Amino acid sequence: MVKNAFTGVTAKEESLVPLYLQHLEDTKKLIGISKANPTYQKYERMYRRVVEFMKKKYNIYLVYIWLFCHNYNV
């Protein structure tokens, strides 16, 4: 357990899908305040298309954020 904590294995891995779902939920709460309904619909459509693409092209549902950081040296 100490070794895992030291090497960073215990770090929470975040994936794209749950983060985007949280973004959708936050945006939905802002409809009529600072966001318009068409903006929410656009974000929702993009979410569906990204998930469909990941399933079709790579046969996966979750993409971990660290993959983006690693590939783009962020």
Side-chain angles (χ1 to χ4, degrees):
M1 187 153 81
V2 174
K3 178 184 173 189
N4 288 345
F6 180 74
T7 58
V9 173
T10 59
K12 181 181 175 187
E13 290 185 345
E14 302 228 28
S15 66
L16 181 65
V17 172
L19 283 176
Y20 201 87
L21 286 173
Q22 181 63 47
H23 171 68
L24 280 175
E25 184 178 311
D26 294 343
T27 303
K28 191 172 191 174
K29 291 176 186 175
L30 294 173
I31 292 175
I33 299 170
S34 63
K35 301 286 184 196
N37 193 39
T39 302
Y40 173 76
Q41 291 172 349
K42 177 178 68 172
Y43 291 162
E44 196 174 42
R45 184 172 47 251
M46 189 202 140
Y47 166 76
R48 288 192 311 265
R49 288 179 179 168
V50 167
V51 169
E52 180 184 333
F53 171 77
M54 289 187 317
K55 285 180 182 177
K56 225 182 240 189
K57 179 81 173 175
Y58 299 106
N59 198 26
I60 59 172
Y61 177 71
L62 293 176
V63 174
Y64 291 101
I65 299 301
W66 64 267
L67 288 172
F68 291 114
C69 296
H70 176 72
N71 289 335
Y72 295 106
N73 297 321
V74 174

